[in-house]
Amino acid sequence: MSSFASNIQALINQAENLFAKSFGNREEDDTNIYACSAPGRVNLIGEHTDYTGGFVLPLAIGFSTVVYGKGHIIKNISSADTRCRVVSTTNCSIVEFQATPSLNPSTKSDKLWVNYVKGVIIQYMSELHLDERFVLDIAIAGDVPLGSGLSSSASLEVATAVFLECILNLNNNPYCIDDSLLYTREAKMERAKKCQKAENVFCKVPCGIMDQFVSSCGSRGKLLLIDCRSLDYKEVSMGGEEEDMPVLVVANSNVKHSLGDSEYPVRVQQCKEATSILSNVNKNIQSLRDATMEDIETASSSAGLEGALLQRARHVVSENKRTVETANALERGDWTTVGTLMNASHASMKDDYQVSCPEIDILVELAQGYEGVYGSRLTGGGFGGCTVTLVRKECAKGLIDHLNKEYMAKTGKQCDCFETSPGSGAGLLMA
């Protein structure tokens, strides 16, 4: 059994045990018990470009969230038993609520995580008739490091969405679950859009669609080059000879971030303001996706694009170009070019987009200076989280040891590292 499969089975066991402890053992005739999973992600390159309609190049990883439980749709909404109950291995107190259109976010700090579940439920209520409600008992287990920039929130949202789709499927066909309906290109993309909206509207995080998209649509052995405007995507393989194939090492700085409370919303607004200025010099610019470096130079000299707005625009426009070039270089096995683009991306995120931090910069510098490393950069929203490094396979273990030792010496913090490769997206594990 692969380590990925082992991890998933361990999560199923954790969630099943928590379910039994919280809600009682499943009965023998329970046919509506489901276990659904969705992975976290690492973004190789293409950071802070998704919410401006640009390009991103992420991969699903072998860390996931499992949603285990039972549910059905009740047609008599006057019934007293229309409750949803949710529990997690990270917070074993049961959270109970009524899934109604007026459902409000939780505000207590120890229950904020439930908002990712609630927000997705709200999105799927549009699939119900007016006299119908979801009734759920679910237990959640996950191993995506929280606050690490590996999209634990999107993993939870997408796993919840798959669970709800199983219930809706059973409601429409009470005799079987046709899980093939979960894996069509259209279904996976629609799921991602619902989950992004849940985070934007219900959780008040103005994120782009990348995290939910790759968690839903990921494919084993493939990165996804996603056009965040059209939502078209291309599966990208790593080319070259198998024996020369490098690996990806992810290093967690253990500096946690919270996108909703950080500078992330500020960057989103700055991109909008930069776009407004650029549109005055080129009417075809609807978002930074449409701008070129020439447009930026013109706007900086004649339209008042300066300071932070100039820097933000410069990062996004150059990052889109780097992302497309990286996908092409990956397919032809040009690891040197991929590494050069990754290094340039980090410099841009540090200097122009200003979303790095001292600990992340230390990790990147340590990796970039290590033998066998092609490139290294911050991955995720920033202000902490993780780095991703492309390194020769035979040098990966030495790199991990080097990062662990030197990061502790320089920061006093532990650095959690792991090798990864592209994994599968969300799905039904058992029914």
Side-chain angles (χ1 to χ4, degrees):
M1 180 180 289
S2 69
S3 59
F4 175 73
S6 299
N7 290 346
I8 285 289
Q9 188 57 54
L11 292 177
I12 294 174
N13 294 342
Q14 291 173 27
E16 185 175 12
N17 291 337
L18 180 59
F19 182 89
K21 179 181 177 181
S22 303
F23 308 123
N25 289 312
R26 59 179 294 184
E27 299 175 6
E28 290 299 321
D29 62 349
D30 265 341
T31 56
N32 58 341
I33 289 277
Y34 310 111
C36 304
S37 75
R41 67 96 186 95
V42 166
N43 191 27
L44 184 67
I45 196 168
E47 223 69 71
H48 290 278
T49 52
D50 55 347
Y51 51 79
T52 55
F55 295 96
V56 294
L57 190 61
L59 59 141
I61 59 175
F63 291 88
S64 303
T65 300
V66 166
V67 172
Y68 176 98
K70 61 182 180 180
H72 62 277
I73 296 170
I74 194 167
K75 293 186 177 296
N76 180 9
I77 62 175
S78 63
S79 169
D81 187 20
T82 59
R83 66 187 177 186
C84 294
R85 298 186 297 177
V86 184
V87 65
S88 167
T89 55
T90 58
N91 190 325
C92 294
S93 299
I94 297 173
V95 180
E96 184 174 323
F97 53 89
Q98 300 285 328
T100 67
S102 59
L103 180 63
N104 291 315
S106 299
T107 57
K108 293 184 178 180
S109 59
D110 62 338
K111 295 181 179 179
L112 292 178
W113 65 273
V114 182
N115 289 334
Y116 298 106
V117 177
K118 287 182 174 181
V120 174
I121 290 174
I122 286 288
Q123 291 302 310
Y124 279 88
M125 287 183 66
S126 64
E127 306 288 331
L128 302 178
H129 295 111
L130 293 176
D131 64 342
E132 294 179 331
R133 294 287 184 270
F134 287 115
V135 178
L136 312 170
D137 283 341
I138 56 177
I140 297 165
D143 59 4
V144 184
L146 303 179
S148 64
L150 300 179
S151 299
S152 57
S153 58
S155 175
L156 173 56
E157 290 161 353
V158 175
T160 301
V162 175
F163 185 87
L164 295 175
E165 288 170 18
C166 289
I167 295 172
L168 286 163
N169 190 355
L170 181 65
N171 189 57
N172 293 328
N173 183 356
Y175 300 103
C176 71
I177 286 288
D178 181 2
D179 64 353
S180 66
L181 298 176
L182 303 173
Y183 302 110
T184 67
R185 188 179 179 96
E186 294 75 16
K188 292 187 291 186
M189 292 171 64
E190 185 61 30
R191 180 187 307 138
K193 289 189 284 187
K194 279 184 166 69
C195 290
Q196 181 203 14
K197 190 172 181 181
E199 188 152 348
N200 290 167
V201 175
F202 201 85
C203 302
K204 309 300 183 186
V205 178
C207 64
I209 199 168
M210 174 180 66
D211 298 351
Q212 295 84 3
F213 198 103
V214 70
S215 185
S216 182
C217 303
S219 179
R220 187 172 299 279
K222 311 287 187 181
L223 294 89
L224 299 187
L225 177 63
I226 306 170
D227 181 334
C228 295
R229 171 177 287 171
S230 68
L231 297 188
D232 190 20
Y233 68 96
K234 174 186 176 183
E235 294 183 350
V236 177
S237 299
M238 295 174 69
E241 299 297 328
E242 180 65 29
E243 60 269 20
D244 298 327
M245 194 77 69
V247 298
L248 295 171
V249 169
V250 177
N252 187 351
S253 70
N254 283 309
V255 176
K256 297 187 182 301
H257 66 181
S258 174
L259 294 184
D261 297 331
S262 71
E263 288 286 309
Y264 188 102
V266 176
R267 298 299 185 280
V268 175
Q269 181 59 35
Q270 288 171 331
C271 285
K272 292 178 180 178
E273 293 175 13
T275 301
S276 178
I277 294 172
L278 283 161
S279 66
N280 291 328
V281 300
N282 183 343
K283 64 180 181 180
N284 294 320
I285 296 176
Q286 299 178 0
S287 74
L288 291 181
R289 154 72 177 274
D290 303 314
T292 65
M293 295 304 294
E294 290 74 20
D295 291 323
I296 290 176
E297 291 175 7
T298 300
S300 66
S301 61
S302 64
L305 184 65
E306 58 186 10
L309 299 187
L310 170 62
Q311 292 175 289
R312 307 306 182 246
R314 189 164 55 204
H315 165 75
V316 173
V317 172
S318 62
E319 186 79 346
N320 276 321
K321 185 173 185 291
R322 283 189 291 267
T323 302
V324 175
E325 291 177 353
T326 298
N328 293 332
L330 276 176
E331 290 188 311
R332 64 177 185 266
D334 184 354
W335 315 125
T336 299
T337 295
V338 173
T340 299
L341 292 165
M342 291 173 67
N343 292 339
S345 172
H346 182 76
S348 181
M349 292 176 70
K350 175 185 174 183
D351 299 328
D352 274 346
Y353 222 69
Q354 298 176 314
V355 293
S356 191
C357 66
E359 292 87 349
I360 288 291
D361 291 338
I362 287 171
L363 281 174
V364 168
E365 290 167 10
L366 288 171
Q368 289 177 348
Y370 191 79
E371 183 180 357
V373 167
Y374 295 100
S376 184
R377 60 181 290 277
L378 165 65
T379 186
F383 312 105
C386 293
T387 63
V388 59
T389 300
L390 185 70
V391 58
R392 293 204 323 251
K393 184 182 299 185
E394 65 271 20
C395 299
K397 184 181 183 304
L399 171 65
I400 289 173
D401 292 342
H402 174 69
L403 293 177
N404 284 330
K405 178 182 176 181
E406 296 299 323
Y407 185 69
M408 174 62 75
K410 292 178 180 295
T411 67
K413 292 184 174 69
Q414 183 176 345
C415 166
D416 300 315
C417 303
F418 61 91
E419 287 185 41
T420 192
S421 57
S424 299
L428 174 65
L429 300 171
M430 56 168 282

